[in-house]
């Protein structure tokens, strides 16, 4: 198994979840396309199915951000706005329909983005202003609206009516993210609603455990025990067994892990992987951050340590912390972009996913750590942890792509990564029997690629 991984974008920057005092672990039994917009309500919560159908903003009854009470308040507001508008002032019935749909965008699954408009900070609007209720509109629709419905909006907006509607539509009223605008989001709302209406693709959330402190990963040991190992960033690993949290932690490394000092600190106990033969050898591996001090000039803020540990011989739900073997330590120049994923491939080798060392724009050296193959940072490493000696705690697979190239670390399997956070292997389709197809080729500049083999997850910071 000597496949190669495709480097992902250097600018896809993951950030760890903010450190919370308490958290709940939820199983999400569905997924959406990564290309779909991110649904979010005005209160920053996810959209929901209202308990009672909406009679006014009925198009958002299947899924949206309004309750029946919200729906009533919106209808009352528009009724009050139209009270002094006589039929002679109305352009057409179509304009009223457009206005109603615009006002109801407050109930849209994308309302947080639609109302993130730049002009709301620029204009001195009263609380009752209709402009506050209008979402960001796609420029062509906005221009058409003010052109064809000018009489209605002149009456409704009064002195707040835009002096230059073209400038208002093209520049002022745009959302901070221009990919969100009415009526484009109406199509995506209908698509999202159709997903919720299909029982086989519903989103089902079931609370399993609460009061965890910033859980970062849930890992199965693959031993048939149906246990789930939960990693807390502060350095503790818990076990969920029979859908209950065991009272005794599997492993407590909190005294060894660095103290997290800011909410967005990306250090800590970040990853865990069980040996493919864990059921028989009891070996597992952890990736965590430890303080380090050097004599003379300080070279690193801390180091990322990868260690091998063993399960207790007397209790399968407790680790033997006294049998730690340090496999590797990597100097880290900053508290962020530390990566942290560990994973075993089907080839039996251990893959380590490292960030570029942190700060903004990878400022280290002339070309940054991500493009510097003489450093391990910003790379995926592949090592053999089953074959080592008294001198080295691991060996390098001879089929690694950069073995034998002067000035390049042979552990590197892929480079040019910003901060790979969560990663997985494509293991094929068990239902159809399709195998994951690994296609390898190397270019003259020794850039190596693989297709459908490893998926890395990046989160924009």
């Amino acid at each position: 198994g000597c496949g190669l991984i495709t480097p992902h974008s250097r600018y896809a920057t993951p950030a760890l979840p903010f450190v919370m005092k308490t958290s709940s672990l939820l199983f999400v039994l569905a997924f959406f396309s990564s290309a779909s917009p991110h649904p979010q309500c005005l209160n920053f919560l996810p959209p929901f199915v209202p308990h009672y159908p909406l009679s006014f903003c009925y198009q958002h009854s299947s899924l949206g951000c309004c309750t029946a009470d919200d729906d009533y308040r919106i209808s009352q507001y528009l009724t009050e706005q139209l009270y002094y508008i006589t039929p002679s002032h109305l352009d057409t019935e179509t304009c009223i329909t457009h206005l109603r749909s615009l006002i109801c965008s407050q109930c849209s699954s994308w309302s947080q983005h639609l109302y993130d408009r730049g002009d709301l900070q620029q204009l001195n609007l009263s609380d009752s202003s209709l402009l506050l209720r209008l979402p960001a509109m796609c420029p062509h629709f906005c221009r058409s609206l003010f052109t064809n419905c000018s009489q209605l909006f002149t009456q409704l907006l009064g002195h707040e009516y835009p002096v230059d509607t073209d400038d208002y539509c093209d520049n002022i009223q745009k959302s901070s993210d221009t990919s969100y605008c009415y009526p484009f989001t109406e199509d995506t709302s209908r698509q999202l609603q159709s997903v919720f209406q299909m029982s086989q693709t519903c989103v089902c959330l079931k609370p399993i455990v609460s009061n965890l402190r910033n859980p970062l990963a849930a890992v199965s040991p693959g031993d048939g025990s149906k246990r789930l190992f939960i990693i807390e960033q502060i350095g503790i690993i818990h076990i969920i067994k029979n859908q209950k949290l065991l009272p005794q932690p599997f492993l407590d490394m909190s005294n060894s892990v660095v103290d997290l000092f800011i909410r967005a600190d990306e250090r800590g106990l970040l990853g865990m992987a069980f040996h493919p033969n864990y059921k028989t050898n009891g070996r597992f591996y952890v990736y965590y951050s430890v303080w380090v001090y050097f004599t003379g000039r300080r070279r690193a803020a801390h180091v990322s340590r990868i260690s091998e540990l063993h399960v207790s011989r007397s209790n399968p739900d407790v680790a033997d912390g006294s049998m730690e073997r340090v496999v590797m330590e990597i100097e880290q120049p900053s508290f962020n972009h530390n990566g942290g994923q560990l994973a075993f491939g089907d080839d039996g080798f251990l893959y380590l996913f490292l960030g570029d060392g942190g700060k903004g724009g990878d400022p280290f050296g002339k070309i940054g750590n991500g493009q510097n193959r003489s450093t391990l940072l910003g790379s995926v490493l592949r090592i053999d942890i089953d074959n080592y000696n008294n001198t080295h705690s691991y060996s390098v697979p001879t089929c690694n792509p950069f073995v034998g190239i002067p000035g390049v670390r042979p552990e590197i399997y892929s480079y040019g990564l910003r901060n790979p956070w969560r990663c997985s292997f494509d293991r094929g389709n068990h239902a159809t029997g399709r195998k994951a197809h690994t296609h390898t080729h190397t270019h003259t500049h020794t850039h190596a690629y693989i297709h459908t083999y490893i998926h890395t997850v990046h989160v924009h910071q």
Side-chain angles (χ1 to χ4, degrees):
C2 292
L4 306 179
I5 179 176
T6 304
H8 288 256
S9 169
R10 290 278 299 112
Y11 301 101
T13 307
L16 293 182
F18 285 176
V19 178
M20 305 294 290
K21 292 183 179 178
T22 61
S23 180
S24 294
L25 182 67
L26 300 176
F27 288 104
V28 181
L29 306 179
F31 63 90
F32 296 100
S33 167
S34 59
S36 300
H38 177 60
Q40 195 173 43
C41 299
L42 284 170
N43 59 2
F44 299 100
L45 295 178
F48 56 89
V49 179
H51 290 295
Y52 302 100
L54 309 184
S55 58
F56 187 72
C57 300
Y58 54 85
Q59 65 269 41
H60 302 292
S61 283
S62 298
L63 182 71
C65 294
C66 287
T67 63
D69 290 340
D70 298 328
D71 182 64
Y72 176 75
R73 284 191 288 268
I74 292 173
S75 67
Q76 287 296 103
Y77 172 81
L78 187 57
T79 300
E80 294 171 1
Q81 291 293 308
L82 295 175
Y83 183 79
Y84 296 105
I85 304 298
T86 62
S88 60
H89 290 139
L90 300 180
D91 301 75
T92 62
E93 185 178 340
T94 303
C95 293
I96 295 294
T97 302
H98 281 318
L99 177 60
R100 177 175 179 168
S101 296
L102 287 167
I103 295 294
C104 285
S105 291
Q106 299 170 73
C107 300
S108 168
S109 297
W110 324 103
S111 54
Q112 175 57 40
H113 306 288
L114 287 171
Y115 286 87
D116 185 17
R117 289 167 32 202
D119 64 317
L120 297 183
Q121 288 77 38
Q122 301 176 24
L123 304 177
N124 184 20
L125 303 174
S126 63
D127 291 340
S128 61
S129 172
L130 177 64
L131 284 182
L132 288 175
R133 272 74 178 178
L134 298 182
M137 294 176 276
C138 302
H140 68 281
F141 175 84
C142 180
R143 291 192 297 271
S144 175
L145 184 73
F146 281 109
T147 299
N148 298 320
C149 302
S150 59
Q151 292 184 20
L152 172 63
F153 280 90
T154 299
Q155 290 289 319
L156 289 172
L157 297 177
H159 70 279
E160 293 180 347
Y161 188 86
V163 177
D164 186 340
T165 55
D166 287 344
D167 180 55
Y168 179 80
C169 291
D170 293 340
N171 303 309
I172 298 177
Q173 63 89 46
K174 292 189 301 183
S175 170
S176 299
D177 185 342
T178 55
S179 61
Y180 299 97
C181 62
Y182 180 94
F184 169 74
T185 49
E186 294 299 286
D187 292 333
T188 53
S189 289
R190 285 189 288 271
Q191 294 171 9
L192 185 61
Q193 289 170 8
S194 67
V195 170
F196 271 74
Q197 291 167 356
M198 298 170 61
S199 60
Q200 64 269 30
T201 54
C202 71
V203 171
C204 304
L205 301 179
K206 181 181 179 181
I208 300 297
V209 174
S210 60
N211 298 321
L212 292 170
R213 292 157 293 186
N214 208 18
L216 300 184
V219 187
S220 168
D223 60 356
S225 65
K226 298 183 180 180
R227 295 175 298 169
L228 201 59
F229 289 68
I230 308 302
I231 300 172
E232 287 186 326
Q233 188 178 6
I234 60 173
I236 299 176
I237 300 175
H238 297 278
I239 294 180
I240 294 178
K241 190 175 183 179
N242 298 324
Q243 298 194 16
K244 293 182 179 179
L245 188 72
L246 298 185
Q248 181 178 359
F250 176 72
L251 179 65
D252 187 346
M253 306 181 69
S254 56
N255 290 332
S256 300
V257 174
V258 299
D259 296 325
L260 307 177
F261 63 92
I262 61 173
R263 292 184 66 196
D265 202 322
E266 297 182 16
R267 301 170 301 171
L269 178 57
L270 304 179
M272 178 185 190
F274 291 91
H275 191 280
N277 298 323
Y278 175 76
K279 188 174 182 178
T280 56
N281 64 25
R283 290 156 54 190
F284 65 95
Y285 300 82
V286 291
Y287 183 128
Y288 66 103
S289 309
V290 295
W291 291 116
V292 62
Y293 297 97
F294 300 95
T295 58
R297 186 171 179 267
R298 188 178 182 183
R299 296 179 295 168
H302 68 284
V303 297
S304 292
R305 176 182 292 169
I306 295 86
S307 289
E308 177 187 273
L309 295 105
H310 291 253
V311 68
S312 169
R313 294 182 179 180
S314 59
N315 187 346
D317 293 330
V318 177
D320 185 350
S322 66
M323 297 180 64
E324 179 176 4
R325 181 177 73 89
V326 177
V327 175
M328 181 185 295
E329 288 187 343
I330 302 102
E331 295 181 12
Q332 296 283 0
S334 183
F335 70 89
N336 62 332
H337 293 188
N338 287 184
Q341 177 75 36
L342 297 177
F344 279 93
D346 289 337
D347 51 17
F349 298 134
L350 179 62
Y351 291 74
L352 295 72
F353 296 80
L354 304 178
D356 62 9
K359 297 189 177 180
D362 193 6
F364 307 101
K366 294 182 178 180
I367 58 175
N369 287 326
Q371 299 298 324
N372 182 2
R373 292 181 294 170
S374 67
T375 178
L376 298 179
L377 297 175
S379 303
V380 178
L381 311 183
R382 181 169 69 172
I383 62 174
D384 184 345
I385 46 79
D386 288 323
N387 296 289
Y388 59 92
N389 52 42
N390 294 331
T391 305
H392 298 91
S393 55
Y394 63 89
S395 60
V396 175
T398 57
C399 55
N400 271 12
F402 304 112
V403 169
I405 299 178
V408 180
R409 293 294 298 264
E411 299 94 334
I412 294 177
Y413 186 68
S414 173
Y415 69 97
L417 298 176
R418 182 63 162 156
N419 191 18
W421 172 228
R422 286 297 175 243
C423 320
S424 63
F425 288 86
D426 181 357
R427 302 192 185 279
N429 189 316
H430 294 290
T432 63
R434 181 188 67 81
K435 300 290 186 180
H437 173 63
T438 304
H439 176 65
T440 305
H441 54 273
T442 304
H443 295 286
T444 55
H445 295 292
T446 325
H447 294 299
Y449 302 85
I450 181 176
H451 304 288
T452 65
Y453 192 55
I454 296 179
H455 306 297
T456 62
V457 177
H458 298 271
V459 181
H460 290 282
Q461 188 174 38

